[in-house]
Amino acid sequence: MPRWKVDPSRVEVLKERTISNGPVIYWMSRDQRAEDNWALIYAQEMALDRDVPLAVIFSLSPDFLGATLRQYSFMLKGLEETAGSLEDKDIPFVMLPGEPAKEVPKFASKHKVSSIVTDFDPLRIKHAWKTGIMKGIRSSLIEVDAHNIVPCRKVSDKQEWGAYTLRPKINRLLDVYLKKTPPLQTHRKKWKTKTPPFSYADLLKRLEVDRSVHGSDLFAPGTAAGSKALRSFLGRLDSYNGTRNDPNESGQSGLSPYLHFGQISAQRVAVDVMSSAADDDSKASFLEELIIRRELADNFCLHNRLYDSVKCFPSWSDKTLREHLRDRREYLYSVKQLEFSRTHDPLWNAAQAEMVKTGKMHGYLRMYWAKKILEWSRSPKEAMRRAIYLNDRYELDGRDPNGYAGIAWSIGGVHDRAWGTRKIFGMVRYMSLSGCEKKFDVGKYIKTWGY
Ligand code: FAD
Ligand code: FO1
């Protein structure tokens, strides 16, 4: 039998079952693309090996971690494109509205599916979905890490202290994993039944989601738009080092919405960056963020199940923040005052406005933004709750391990070290307006966002 193309270390068998000659399905969730998708490649290899049909299903949950119309419309538009790309390869795409633990087993038993392949996601909700689904299926359930370049379960079996401990573990494995993914083939064995057509407009109309957060007109959704954003970024990668921390510049790649929804693959981005004409320094800085920082976030959420609460803080910051819990807060704001940029700080208000208006706050300001929420809340616990709420309500890339790790870094010193003690923060790193003024033209940014 020819060697399969998917590295076995990407594969985790969650439920074993004797092989039957039923069709194979890929239950797509995190990696919502037809190309460069190891989970889909693995499902196709399995179906070809058994000479059975292959289909892709997507379980559309009615309320995903407080996502609003902004995120659902971006995601569904992207899925409409992916469904078209799959149909071109004679692989049907079936949208299953409703709760995954109910809908996936129902579909699997109706079509006498032999194996279900799905993608890796360290979030608790996905773990709960998989646990629920396993109770209701008679087929096997196999998970493939299609999101990380170095599979998350492989690179470390514990929560890493920080980028400095994870980096060597990733770097020594990179040349094994960092390579082009094989193309998806046209599937010769046709699915037996006609699949219902995908109507984006109809789905969106029926969705019962919060419609008060409008879509972003800054980011066109889908794999083609994400690939276009990548090509445009490769043209300015040389200036990444100089501009990535300046919110007045478009130095960042703008890829996070596409990476979050898996509309493009981080592996494809890394391979294209490495083969670009940009200078080595810029490539190294960008790959540090794309590979080390991003995969550190998955490691954090996989091994620290309380990633969205103060209980995930390391003992040093937990202790220091408790010692300063009673410190007087010079400013205290309600979540509504924060949400509508009604604080005394024009820079913070402008950053909040950028996120509300565009669906993507500049990366440098996200640190400042979250740290100020700690300073203006009654406790770190309240600060975590509000930062996650606002981040996930307005960011296109929200509800992501990067966000939980970024917020826990800002408020609870996760993956960071202790700094000099100051009120409220204790030894958690502080950021000030004057510090930002040394980094970029704060007045210009405030003017851009109307505060
Ligand atoms: P680029 O600088 O072009 O980076 C390219 C990619 O590298 C990003 O898309 C991302 O996948 C990864 N990356 C970059 N910086 C980080 C980082 N610090 N941690 C992890 N991965 C990183 N990122 C999200 O995807 N979703 C979030 O909800 C989110 N919330 C954040 C909240 C706070 C408080 C902080 C401090 C950071 C947050 N981040 C989040 C991480 C980072 O700010 C964004 O990934 C980045 O700004 C996205 O823009 P970009 O793709 O243009 O970035
Ligand atoms: N994944 C799903 O499998 N089904 C959904 O209905 C779904 C909705 C959704 C809405 C907003 C959002 O940001 C993500 C959403 N995801 C959904 C999950 C997403 O694809 C990612 O897997 C996680 O958010 C990141 O780990």
Side-chain angles (χ1 to χ4, degrees), residues 240 252-256 289 294 360 363 366 391 397 402-403:
Y240 185 68
Q252 289 194 293
S253 65
L255 295 177
S256 60
E289 302 300 328
R294 202 179 55 92
K360 184 171 182 290
R366 295 198 198 197
N391 185 86
D397 58 26
N402 293 345

Side-chain angles (χ1 to χ4, degrees), residues 60-253:
L60 183 61
S61 160
D63 169 23
F64 188 83
L65 301 178
T68 67
L69 183 67
R70 170 174 287 180
Q71 294 87 13
Y72 270 103
S73 54
F74 188 89
M75 182 179 81
L76 288 172
K77 205 85 186 104
L79 283 170
E80 184 182 54
E81 179 188 322
T82 296
S85 310
L86 289 166
E87 305 286 352
D88 294 348
K89 302 273 183 179
D90 290 338
I91 301 171
F93 176 92
V94 184
M95 180 63 82
L96 299 174
E99 276 317 316
K102 201 165 126 267
E103 296 309 324
V104 174
K106 209 164 94 187
F107 183 90
S109 95
K110 180 178 168 199
H111 295 277
K112 295 188 182 45
V113 162
S114 57
S115 291
I116 304 173
V117 178
T118 192
D119 40 49
F120 167 77
D121 188 327
L123 297 189
R124 282 194 312 270
I125 187 169
K126 300 296 186 74
H127 180 74
W129 284 1
K130 288 169 186 169
T131 310
I133 284 166
M134 280 192 277
K135 289 192 190 111
I137 55 172
R138 306 167 64 80
S139 49
S140 57
L141 180 64
I142 295 152
E143 175 199 85
V144 179
D145 190 337
H147 211 75
N148 293 294
I149 293 166
V150 181
C152 188
R153 293 185 191 280
K154 159 93 187 173
V155 75
S156 169
D157 55 4
K158 63 180 176 36
Q159 179 182 336
E160 292 294 329
W161 273 102
Y164 72 101
T165 61
L166 183 65
R167 191 175 301 111
K169 295 182 180 176
I170 285 196
N171 285 341
R172 71 164 153 264
L173 289 169
L174 261 191
D175 52 7
V176 172
Y177 292 100
L178 190 48
K179 54 192 178 206
K180 275 196 180 351
T181 33
L184 188 65
Q185 299 172 49
T186 298
H187 203 71
R188 59 171 180 266
K189 204 85 178 184
K190 302 290 167 273
W191 192 261
K192 291 200 179 59
T193 51
K194 198 100 189 66
T195 49
F198 181 120
S199 151
Y200 161 77
D202 174 38
L203 272 168
L204 210 60
K205 232 179 18 248
R206 282 191 284 140
L207 261 185
E208 283 159 36
V209 281
D210 178 341
R211 293 173 183 267
S212 62
V213 181
H214 59 76
S216 158
D217 42 24
L218 209 61
F219 296 92
T223 299
S227 308
K228 192 166 161 239
L230 171 56
R231 284 194 301 280
S232 133
F233 174 62
L234 292 177
R236 57 179 203 276
L237 174 56
D238 261 342
S239 59
Y240 185 68
N241 266 339
T243 58
R244 69 190 176 116
N245 285 332
D246 184 344
N248 295 310
E249 299 287 338
S250 50
Q252 289 194 293
S253 65

Side-chain angles (χ1 to χ4, degrees), residues 341 348-358 361 445 449-451:
S341 294
W348 191 93
N349 293 339
Q352 175 69 18
E354 178 186 24
M355 177 173 70
V356 169
K357 289 177 184 166
T358 70
M361 186 189 297
Y445 179 80
W449 296 104
Y451 278 86

